[in-house]
Amino acid sequence: MSAPEAVIFDAYGTLFDVNAAMEAHARRLGDRWPRLSEEWRAKQLEYTWVRSLTGAAHHEDFWLCTRDALHYVFARHGIEDAALARDLMESYRRLPVYPEVPSTLAAIREQGIATAILSNGTPGMLEAAAEAAGITPLVDEILSVEEVGTFKPDPRVYRLATRQFGCPPDRLLFVSANAWDTQAAHAFNMRVARVNRTGAPDEYGLGAAGVAVLTDLSGLTDLLS
């Protein structure tokens, strides 16, 4: 792979561990916390897709979608604990990165390649998370869907990256742990790499399309070399 102008990262599930918020409060949630975390994430994404498909008048930012999804999961499981809900949301604001993230970002920038985040998150969420994780100095740009008022996988979101770096999409490498996100960037004609930490099956024919699949982000430096 020839060097791209920039490597564009999805944030949640790719750089930031989305299960860490529930795990941080596992003692209060009990052994059901992994299931609750999975449901929270699934409902969070569902809300973004529904709001995008029903039009701009129904847009609600990612922080509110995350809050509403948590309230739904609590209601579904009969959890009535407002303090715990507040603590979980605060934990979500400061999610840790996966262990290899800082070294990977540093190695990419040492190759003279720019780094960016392109995420559903609000600017405030992304800035707070990057600062808490200590990766702010390693990221050149933080791009939020709030600039276009809709969520991924709308092509207008991926166009934010081409506008920012002033180049065609095939000069950018997009990296995501979400297969649907990877597929959307691929359809937009970006170079793409999927991070498949759990060994999930191929989706959307990405394997047949020759999309690079990584078990974690540490493999990116070899891919770029």
Side-chain angles (χ1 to χ4, degrees):
M1 177 182 289
S2 59
E5 297 291 329
V7 180
I8 315 297
F9 293 91
D10 169 59
Y12 297 106
T14 304
L15 298 178
F16 301 107
D17 182 355
V18 293
N19 291 311
M22 286 280 186
E23 186 175 14
H25 300 280
R27 182 181 57 81
R28 298 160 72 183
L29 292 162
D31 58 9
R32 60 182 172 173
W33 77 261
R35 183 174 74 256
L36 295 173
S37 185
E38 183 178 359
E39 290 183 18
W40 187 13
R41 174 65 169 167
K43 186 58 67 171
Q44 174 198 51
L45 292 174
E46 178 190 323
Y47 285 177
T48 67
W49 296 329
V50 170
R51 289 189 176 280
S52 292
L53 289 168
T54 51
H58 301 281
H59 180 71
E60 184 176 76
D61 71 39
F62 197 61
W63 179 253
L64 297 179
C65 288
T66 302
R67 179 205 62 188
D68 292 349
L70 180 61
H71 288 172
Y72 171 84
V73 171
F74 268 31
R76 184 173 183 273
H77 290 271
I79 301 171
E80 297 181 6
D81 191 334
L84 176 57
R86 287 193 299 272
D87 290 345
L88 284 166
M89 288 299 293
E90 189 58 30
S91 292
Y92 205 94
R93 191 187 296 276
R94 292 172 172 80
L95 293 172
V97 291
Y98 291 100
E100 78 281 5
V101 168
S103 60
T104 298
L105 292 173
I108 292 170
R109 296 179 87 238
E110 285 171 5
Q111 295 184 44
I113 302 171
T115 59
I117 291 172
L118 176 62
S119 172
N120 278 339
T122 68
M125 289 176 71
L126 296 169
E127 290 163 8
E131 185 68 27
I135 63 168
T136 301
L138 302 174
V139 177
D140 295 298
E141 301 292 342
I142 294 179
L143 306 174
S144 166
V145 301
E146 288 306 301
E147 292 189 48
V148 290
T150 193
F151 294 105
K152 297 174 179 179
D154 192 301
R156 288 174 290 176
V157 174
Y158 305 93
R159 193 170 292 119
L160 288 171
T162 59
R163 186 182 71 188
Q164 179 65 46
F165 290 98
C167 65
D170 63 1
R171 292 296 303 146
L172 299 172
L173 172 63
F174 182 77
V175 184
S176 179
N178 303 296
W180 58 268
D181 192 16
T182 310
Q183 190 276 340
H186 183 264
F188 189 67
N189 205 35
M190 285 177 160
R191 307 182 199 182
V192 296
R194 181 187 177 192
V195 182
N196 189 352
R197 298 177 185 277
T198 62
D202 179 48
E203 297 184 76
Y204 308 107
L206 294 173
V211 169
V213 179
L214 309 171
T215 56
D216 63 42
L217 289 170
S218 62
L220 261 183
T221 51
D222 289 339
L223 186 65
L224 291 169
S225 298

